[in-house]
Amino acid sequence: MELKVRIVAASYRREDVAVELFGRTEDNRSVTVLYRGFRPHFDVIEPDDIYLKHLKDAGQFVSSEEKKLWYEGSYRNALRIYVRSPWEVPNLKKMTDKPVLAADIPFHHRFIYDMDLGACTSVTGEINSKEEKNFTTEMVIDATAFSQCEQFNPPLKILSFDIENSIQTQEIYVIGYAIYDGSSYVKGAITGSEKEILQKFVELISREDPDILTGYNIDGYDLPLIEDRMKKHGVRFAIGRDDGIPRRIQNQYWRVHGRVISDTWWNVKKILHPKNESLNAVAKEMLGEGKDNINRLKIEEEWQARRQEVIEYCIKDAYLTLEIFMKLRVPERSMFMASVSKLPLEDVMNGGTSNYVDSILIREADRMDVGVPLTVYRDKGDAITGGYVKSIGAGIYRNVIVLDFKSMYPSMIIKYNICFTTLNPEGQIIAPNGIRFLSPDVRQGLIPKILKDLMQQRDDVKAKMKRSDPKDRAFYDGIQNAVKVLMNTFYGVLASSFYRFTNPEIGAAVTAFARNTITGLIEKLISEGNKVIYGDTDSIFIESGNESLEETVRYGEMLSEKLSREENLSLEFEKVFDPFFSHGAKKRYAGKIVYPYDQAGTTLVRGYEVRRTDSFDLQSEALSKVFSLILDNKPDEAVAYAREIVEKVQRGEGIPISKLVISRSVKDVREYEKKESHNLANVRVAKKMLEMGETFVPGMKVSWIVTNGKKTPQEVEPYIEGNQFPYTPDWSYYAKRLEETLSRVTEGIDQQSESRLGNKNGQVTLDSY
DNA sequence: CGTAATCGGGG
DNA sequence: GTGTACGATTACG
């Protein structure tokens, strides 16, 4: 039989060294695919006989094959060695002094690369009916062959769960869940004795057989706690598709055979960067709905007094989490990324980006007989020089055109044939940092070739997208966007300090070419009479001399068209700001978008941190107000407002204490003792609260007011909502902090404001009031 | 100023 | 499991 499968996760088992692929078929069934007989292998440059003897003595040698591999600038004699046990390879690679290549590739990846599997793959095989292992999937297949197939996004089954447990005793009261299978939601809760809850939880996952497990902060909270309670009750934490148990990787995320464990909290952080990352805040923001009203800090009492409400609350948390997960389109986006990088979903969702590059690059290297070096650790210290950033003068600018290079770094790599396979002192292409590359007609670089293919692939997909009907359009758009991400990832790993193909000189050559390109262009623009006000890496900001928006847009279109043609590069006219403001620091600006028209009216603030964890409400409110006045073309009012509010705070007039509150959470007070961290304001506040007889539970957020900021450490007093605050805030401290924040911005408006709100060094002179 | 430690979410 | 893998912020030296 033949099945088309979207691979969710890949692994292997030791017993018979069978590779296990788990996934969902095109007709929406979960499946386990087993393949036996694949051998681990790695390459050694010019090995000696004694090494082969050692391998044989260790009972690991299976066979070998002579190769010629491109290694450090030339083709060398190499031996591809096939061995018995994947888990022995780390030891075997240490048993020789000769260069060992491709000996740190996880076995299931080696399999996927060698078989050239895609994220979706056509599997030929037979139903396995006598498999003794307890797989939870609908089918188990013994595979005999694999072939390419088109990519598809099946409706994955996702299970979100949440626990309520005692803070005092850790006992789990209830596990709530919500399941989405692509068409409908199912919700429920598991109650009973703790042991029953745990057993039923394992049964639920085994019966429902979800592809993805999620929840809010499950990586760091729910899963460790469940693991702990399972151990206590002697229940096997068997939630894998092979009946296996999950393991925590690097004290961070979790891995279990056959499923993806993806914490919604992490996805929220990565995609949304919200100021407040709590489930309640994120749900309100995204879904317009918050959590139920349960006092989590008194969960024991709540469980006794209003059990049913706690259960409902628990289910709701699981459901809200699932909705957020879906609304962020995590599964969909990950499937697109998996398709273009040809990886199982799990590697995309939980692995690092170097996986993407490995998957594409190692396959191509194998086809071209290029040796695949091991990952070596380099000093992180000498980071390469990055992009060019033009300094910007303080002020308000009108009708600012933004031009963007399309895929700047990939274009540089292709144009100058930049690659570890073309690096050569005889090369005709000389990078600004002095290193040389062979020209493409002498030797086409591996990475440039891959990027060229990816660019072509992206253009093809975009063209297809235009021709297709609306329902397919979103699919192609997802693919083309993932290709773009993948292309940029290639530069990312070249510049990173640890990747198998990393060479700092090569990364530096890419950015050096890019800097030359953009500075050359800026010079040209200026020589033609343009007012270039700013630029960063791959963008150029020009203050158009035109009065009207229509003229500005026409001018922007003309510039991008003319420059792209004249300079033979791809420069896009991206947007127009009006007004555009900066106080004179790189990477910090704010502007109102007026073009493209569908974004008109949006305010874009870059680099100015309106939200800071240690800021008080008044600070962020005042800063936002100042920005909005500036961008409404009322700079004078902005300066006046800033001045007024600072004065008010200095005098302590009419400012509600609540707007000065600084909050932060505190772990168990004892955890800070040994680390000399008791100077931390939040820790001191927690201690004071305990002394005052206030409720303090480890992990709780505490709030305080600074009463003397001049002392070290500063004096702080707990702020307890609802209670009268019996101390006087250090008004000067607050005025100073507020002024530091506001003056940085108002300084930029004009020269006079500098004397009004502070001096040029950013130092504050309160005397001026 | 650069580096090491801590936090955030969860109950 | 042939894998070293959070980002931003703050305190400390």
Side-chain angles (χ1 to χ4, degrees):
Chain A
M1 67 187 299
E2 197 172 331
L3 291 172
K4 287 176 181 169
V5 181
R6 155 71 68 172
I7 303 171
V8 170
S11 48
Y12 77 96
R13 56 186 189 192
R14 285 196 181 196
E15 303 96 274
D16 53 358
V17 197
V19 174
E20 313 163 313
L21 305 177
F22 301 91
R24 193 159 286 277
T25 62
E26 203 180 23
D27 58 351
N28 197 14
R29 289 183 290 168
S30 66
V31 62
T32 302
V33 176
L34 298 173
Y35 186 90
R36 295 175 187 80
F38 183 73
R39 295 285 185 196
H41 62 80
F42 55 88
D43 303 323
V44 184
I45 302 291
E46 292 147 13
D48 41 32
D49 293 340
I50 190 85
Y51 179 52
L52 294 179
K53 188 178 177 307
H54 285 323
L55 293 178
K56 282 171 189 156
D57 290 347
Q60 281 295 330
F61 184 85
V62 172
S63 63
S64 64
E65 182 190 337
E66 285 182 12
K67 305 273 291 181
K68 284 231 186 271
L69 291 180
W70 181 268
Y71 176 68
E72 292 186 345
S74 65
Y75 283 105
R76 305 273 292 270
N77 289 320
L79 204 60
R80 176 151 297 176
I81 298 170
Y82 291 82
V83 297
R84 210 165 289 285
S85 316
W87 60 91
E88 286 297 337
V89 175
N91 299 323
L92 304 179
K93 75 182 177 200
K94 287 185 222 147
M95 289 161 52
T96 177
D97 294 333
K98 301 288 180 166
V100 177
L101 304 176
D104 59 354
I105 300 165
F107 187 56
H108 64 275
H109 285 150
R110 183 77 267 171
F111 175 79
I112 287 166
Y113 306 158
D114 284 15
M115 300 301 219
D116 203 18
L117 302 191
C120 298
T121 280
S122 182
V123 180
T124 306
E126 293 306 322
I127 297 263
N128 176 332
S129 47
K130 53 184 194 302
E131 176 64 40
E132 64 284 358
K133 217 167 173 181
N134 246 339
F135 291 108
T136 63
T137 51
E138 292 167 60
M139 291 182 289
V140 179
I141 303 286
D142 281 325
T144 51
F146 300 90
S147 60
Q148 310 272 337
C149 77
E150 73 284 359
Q151 300 301 303
F152 58 93
N153 292 358
L156 297 178
K157 191 165 192 178
I158 301 153
L159 186 148
S160 167
F161 67 95
D162 179 45
I163 62 179
E164 305 304 323
N165 69 285
S166 160
I167 298 172
Q168 316 285 340
T169 69
Q170 304 279 77
E171 184 195 343
I172 294 171
Y173 297 140
V174 52
I175 300 182
Y177 61 86
I179 303 167
Y180 184 63
D181 64 0
S183 54
S184 60
Y185 286 92
V186 174
K187 296 187 237 180
I190 307 171
T191 52
S193 76
E194 189 177 38
K195 188 170 180 179
E196 281 165 9
I197 293 174
L198 296 171
Q199 286 166 336
K200 285 186 196 161
F201 182 58
V202 172
E203 284 163 24
L204 174 80
I205 291 172
S206 168
R207 182 174 69 245
E208 293 290 340
D209 190 38
D211 301 290
I212 300 175
L213 292 170
T214 190
Y216 214 80
N217 195 21
I218 50 172
D219 282 357
Y221 188 78
D222 301 51
L223 289 170
L225 185 74
I226 292 174
E227 183 184 52
D228 192 49
R229 304 305 284 181
M230 292 252 181
K231 233 171 245 164
K232 184 174 143 59
H233 288 287
V235 181
R236 261 193 90 232
F237 197 3
I239 57 170
R241 273 186 157 146
D242 64 345
D243 206 34
I245 59 176
R247 304 175 300 124
R248 190 149 194 209
I249 310 291
Q250 288 301 115
N251 211 28
Q252 211 171 237
Y253 64 90
W254 292 75
R255 176 162 280 189
V256 70
H257 284 191
R259 308 186 206 284
V260 187
I261 298 177
S262 181
D263 192 325
T264 295
W265 177 44
W266 282 106
N267 288 290
V268 163
K269 283 167 80 89
K270 215 164 58 183
I271 300 168
L272 294 179
H273 308 287
K275 175 186 173 186
N276 187 340
E277 301 167 346
S278 70
L279 176 57
N280 189 35
V282 175
K284 267 193 186 147
E285 181 69 29
M286 288 186 74
L287 314 169
E289 190 180 3
K291 291 169 59 130
D292 283 350
N293 189 23
I294 292 283
N295 187 347
R296 296 170 0 192
L297 299 175
K298 294 183 176 163
I299 186 75
E300 290 86 357
E301 291 168 36
E302 296 277 47
W303 182 246
Q304 290 311 320
R306 33 200 297 244
R307 190 157 296 193
Q308 196 50 40
E309 282 130 294
V310 173
I311 293 171
E312 292 301 327
Y313 165 90
C314 184
I315 296 171
K316 190 171 185 184
D317 276 10
Y319 177 68
L320 290 174
T321 301
L322 184 51
E323 285 229 283
I324 290 167
F325 192 73
M326 295 313 294
K327 197 148 193 182
L328 293 174
R329 303 195 305 134
V330 177
E332 194 191 351
R333 286 200 236 206
S334 308
M335 280 193 273
F336 287 130
M337 204 61 230
S339 286
V340 304
S341 60
K342 300 183 169 194
L343 283 168
L345 192 64
E346 198 210 9
D347 294 288
V348 168
M349 293 183 75
N350 281 334
T353 49
S354 61
N355 274 334
Y356 308 175
V357 180
D358 262 358
S359 175
I360 301 298
L361 195 43
I362 291 176
R363 295 181 214 222
E364 190 68 21
D366 284 348
R367 282 191 282 269
M368 316 269 280
D369 285 326
V370 170
V372 175
L374 304 179
T375 300
V376 282
Y377 284 95
R378 228 175 292 276
D379 227 350
K380 261 206 220 157
D382 28 280
I384 61 170
T385 315
Y388 168 77
V389 189
K390 189 185 184 311
S391 54
I392 180 166
I396 296 169
Y397 302 87
R398 308 303 308 266
N399 283 333
V400 173
I401 291 168
V402 182
L403 300 177
D404 253 43
F405 279 95
K406 190 182 147 202
S407 306
M408 175 70 134
Y409 288 156
S411 304
M412 293 296 114
I413 295 170
I414 294 169
K415 184 169 178 184
Y416 299 108
N417 204 29
I418 299 171
C419 190
F420 60 95
T421 59
T422 54
L423 187 64
N424 193 307
E426 313 284 305
Q428 293 302 298
I429 298 171
I430 306 166
N433 65 338
I435 64 168
R436 288 160 171 262
F437 299 97
L438 299 171
S439 44
D441 46 320
V442 178
R443 186 180 171 89
Q444 155 97 286
L446 196 62
I447 294 175
K449 178 188 184 297
I450 290 169
L451 288 175
K452 213 170 169 178
D453 291 347
L454 286 172
M455 261 190 190
Q456 186 61 52
Q457 189 193 334
R458 186 170 178 225
D459 288 344
D460 292 349
V461 173
K462 275 181 157 176
K464 232 188 220 170
M465 185 171 106
K466 285 200 178 116
R467 293 198 301 271
S468 60
D469 49 292
K471 70 175 169 57
D472 294 331
R473 209 163 283 175
F475 183 87
Y476 291 126
D477 194 41
I479 293 283
Q480 71 84 12
N481 195 53
V483 175
K484 180 182 164 182
V485 173
L486 179 61
M487 286 196 297
N488 287 321
T489 304
F490 272 82
Y491 164 71
V493 299
L494 283 183
S496 98
S497 51
F498 49 90
Y499 180 58
R500 60 177 79 249
F501 294 108
T502 299
N503 178 331
E505 285 192 318
I506 294 175
V510 178
T511 56
F513 272 125
R515 286 194 301 275
N516 269 18
T517 305
I518 195 160
T519 50
L521 202 59
I522 288 174
E523 274 166 35
K524 181 183 162 80
L525 279 162
I526 290 173
S527 76
E528 288 172 358
N530 290 288
K531 198 172 159 203
V532 178
I533 59 166
Y534 183 60
D536 184 353
T537 311
D538 58 0
S539 61
I540 298 177
F541 293 57
I542 301 155
E543 186 173 39
S544 140
N546 300 287
E547 279 300 314
S548 76
L549 176 58
E550 290 68 30
E551 283 173 288
T552 307
V553 169
R554 228 174 298 135
Y555 189 61
E557 279 164 351
M558 186 277 288
L559 273 183
S560 80
E561 190 274 324
K562 182 172 98 80
L563 291 169
S564 298
R565 180 166 35 82
E566 287 176 2
E567 304 292 304
N568 191 27
L569 32 86
S570 191
L571 204 59
E572 282 173 340
F573 170 39
E574 214 195 52
K575 52 170 116 41
V576 178
F577 286 113
D578 186 51
F580 177 88
F581 167 78
S582 174
H583 77 280
K586 291 173 176 181
K587 295 191 183 287
R588 287 184 174 213
Y589 57 81
K592 213 160 222 163
I593 298 174
V594 289
Y595 174 87
Y597 300 118
D598 58 346
Q599 289 176 38
T602 318
T603 299
L604 189 81
V605 180
R606 278 277 152 81
Y608 289 110
E609 211 40 87
V610 182
R611 38 169 209 234
R612 281 184 65 103
T613 51
D614 62 340
S615 68
F616 43 98
D617 282 359
L618 186 67
Q619 219 176 349
S620 4
E621 278 172 24
L623 185 59
S624 298
K625 175 86 179 164
V626 166
F627 268 129
S628 83
L629 284 170
I630 291 172
L631 296 178
D632 281 341
N633 291 315
K634 296 169 184 161
D636 291 340
E637 279 181 45
V639 176
Y641 168 79
R643 191 178 162 185
E644 214 172 281
I645 190 91
V646 172
E647 282 171 358
K648 260 171 96 174
V649 173
Q650 179 67 61
R651 293 195 303 266
E653 261 178 35
I655 303 289
I657 301 269
S658 62
K659 288 200 184 294
L660 305 178
V661 174
I662 301 170
S663 302
R664 187 150 232 209
S665 73
V666 189
K667 300 187 180 220
D668 195 322
V669 179
R670 281 172 309 228
E671 285 191 47
Y672 296 93
E673 297 289 354
K674 51 189 177 248
K675 284 163 193 153
E676 305 258 339
S677 318
H678 24 275
N679 274 354
L680 296 169
N682 55 339
V683 179
R684 286 183 290 132
V685 170
K687 281 185 185 161
K688 276 195 182 176
M689 284 176 68
L690 282 170
E691 285 165 21
M692 288 158 68
E694 288 292 334
T695 17
F696 168 75
V697 188
M700 199 173 105
K701 233 179 200 139
V702 298
S703 301
W704 69 89
I705 298 278
V706 177
T707 51
N708 187 345
K710 289 185 191 70
K711 281 201 176 167
T712 333
Q714 58 184 207
E715 280 177 17
V716 292
E717 293 297 338
Y719 174 84
I720 292 142
E721 218 171 313
N723 287 14
Q724 174 74 24
F725 185 72
Y727 305 91
T728 311
D730 181 346
W731 293 110
S732 296
Y733 167 82
Y734 281 104
K736 188 170 177 224
R737 279 196 60 178
L738 190 61
E739 195 202 27
E740 280 169 349
T741 302
L742 300 183
S743 66
R744 245 182 302 146
V745 174
T746 51
E747 260 177 25
I749 295 175
D750 58 32
Q751 285 299 102
Q752 304 136 324
S753 61
E754 276 179 17
S755 54
R756 272 186 271 174
L757 271 159
N759 66 30
K760 276 184 198 158
N761 306 325
Q763 285 180 345
V764 215
T765 44
L766 279 167
D767 306 343
S768 56
Y769 291 97

